[in-house]
Amino acid sequence: MLSPCTLVCTLDDKTGLCFGCGRTRDEIAGWTAYSDGERASIMTTLAARMESLERKPRRETKRQRLARERQG
């Protein structure tokens, strides 16, 4: 089954779209019940949806901070 999932699964509060794939919560939940045509139709809209998202900067993890401190 074709799926745009990137295993990010974090929804934007403003748009309701997933930061990883661009689908809505309802689209994610119903993905396996959709026909191939319905999934394909949604897939054609995802690139434009992803362009509309304002990306949140990722929080620096402790591991990343320690590695950065060791280098500098």
Side-chain angles (χ1 to χ4, degrees):
M1 175 186 308
L2 186 60
S3 175
C5 183
T6 61
L7 301 176
V8 171
C9 304
T10 302
L11 297 178
D12 179 22
D13 291 333
K14 185 176 179 182
T15 64
L17 299 175
C18 175
F19 283 110
C21 68
R23 294 179 292 172
T24 65
R25 178 180 312 231
D26 290 340
E27 289 169 342
I28 293 167
W31 195 252
T32 58
Y34 292 149
S35 68
D36 289 342
E38 289 170 316
R39 285 191 293 272
S41 177
I42 293 168
M43 293 282 285
T44 62
T45 67
L46 297 180
R49 290 181 187 183
M50 294 296 288
E51 290 293 320
S52 72
L53 289 174
E54 292 180 28
R55 303 259 184 219
K56 293 180 184 175
R58 292 199 175 258
R59 184 176 62 104
E60 183 178 47
T61 65
K62 183 176 181 181
R63 179 177 292 177
Q64 290 169 330
R65 181 179 52 80
L66 291 172
R68 180 178 47 79
E69 289 172 353
R70 274 189 231 116
Q71 290 175 351

